[in-house]
Amino acid sequence: RQTWFFPNVVYAGRRFSLFGPRATYLLGGGDRWKLSAAGQVRFNALDPDESDELEGMEEREVTWEMGLRLELRGPQKVAFNASALTDVVGRHGGQEFVADISRSFRWFAWRIAPSVSFTVLSDKLADYYYGVSENESRPPERPIYSPGFAWTVTPSVRIFTDKWYPWVCTFSAGMEYLGPSIADSPIVEMRAPLVGFAAISRQFGPGAKRD
């Protein structure tokens, strides 16, 4: 289980946008579609000092990934997004591919957006965060393990309001279903961990607007 606290800076420019640990730069598009260069901080770190069960493991560190993001906007507030990101710092040296679909609803001053995302992790990325090397192995509890190619499915719901605009309150909660190659790792405790965040942010920039 991991908990992170970080400043949630939100800036919406005409091309460059920043939302907390994620940034995009618009390359092209219109009202129905957008193609952007994207970057994000990956927080899937591992600190052996946090648990006796992880003693002997090497620390997995936070990294920065960059790639492309495609956004498609359909009728009735349906949105489809796809992204491909690669590690540019050299921590895991792998890639991540994500596709998600969401639909937003208005409920009084709140916007509710349920979604489902499907994530594919390359073998290098999965091995770095969920594998156990020969030097880290402590049989029989922690044998050598290499998950290889992996995937996850995450249904979630995001709730936000701009009632106090430019201040925006956002809450998100979901359950990340881990594919078997990740779930079977000896350093993974839960097959379906809860994920989510809460943020209070102020909108800045010429592209900022009420939803």
Side-chain angles (χ1 to χ4, degrees):
R1 181 173 58 187
Q2 296 178 338
T3 302
W4 296 88
F5 298 92
F6 55 87
N8 190 49
V9 179
V10 177
Y11 173 82
R14 292 183 176 86
R15 287 189 175 272
F16 176 77
S17 297
L18 178 67
F19 183 82
R22 297 180 176 87
T24 59
Y25 184 84
L26 180 64
L27 299 176
D31 293 336
R32 292 299 183 183
W33 68 276
K34 293 180 181 179
L35 179 65
S36 303
Q40 71 174 23
V41 178
R42 178 174 291 276
F43 290 103
N44 294 49
L46 182 151
D47 187 354
D49 295 333
E50 292 183 352
S51 172
D52 293 339
E53 297 178 356
L54 297 177
E55 184 179 356
M57 294 290 296
E58 295 181 6
E59 183 177 358
R60 270 58 163 178
E61 300 181 12
V62 172
T63 191
W64 175 254
E65 300 168 335
M66 295 187 68
L68 295 174
R69 177 178 175 84
L70 175 65
E71 303 175 50
L72 302 176
R73 293 295 178 264
Q76 304 299 319
K77 298 291 185 179
V78 174
F80 174 81
N81 302 309
S83 63
L85 299 169
T86 188
D87 177 24
V88 296
V89 178
R91 302 291 192 211
H92 58 74
Q95 295 76 41
E96 176 188 75
F97 307 92
V98 182
D100 68 75
I101 187 169
S102 63
R103 167 77 156 87
S104 64
F105 305 86
R106 175 70 71 175
W107 184 68
F108 296 101
W110 296 85
R111 179 75 70 180
I112 303 173
S115 68
V116 177
S117 67
F118 181 73
T119 303
V120 175
L121 290 72
S122 71
D123 54 354
K124 288 184 178 181
L125 193 159
D127 286 345
Y128 181 76
Y129 289 108
Y130 304 105
V132 178
S133 68
E134 182 178 357
N135 293 334
E136 298 171 325
S137 176
R138 299 289 187 274
E141 295 83 6
R142 197 168 72 214
I144 298 173
Y145 188 78
S146 178
F149 170 88
W151 57 266
T152 67
V153 176
T154 308
S156 63
V157 61
R158 185 166 65 102
I159 303 173
F160 56 99
T161 181
D162 56 7
K163 181 179 180 180
W164 302 281
Y165 187 84
W167 291 93
V168 177
C169 298
T170 308
F171 308 91
S172 177
M175 184 168 287
E176 185 178 29
Y177 292 92
L178 306 178
S181 58
I182 296 178
D184 291 342
S185 170
I187 62 173
V188 172
E189 293 182 339
M190 297 179 288
R191 292 180 175 269
L194 296 175
V195 294
F197 70 88
I200 299 176
S201 56
R202 189 187 189 284
Q203 304 286 327
F204 293 94
K209 60 182 180 179
R210 300 176 75 102
D211 187 17

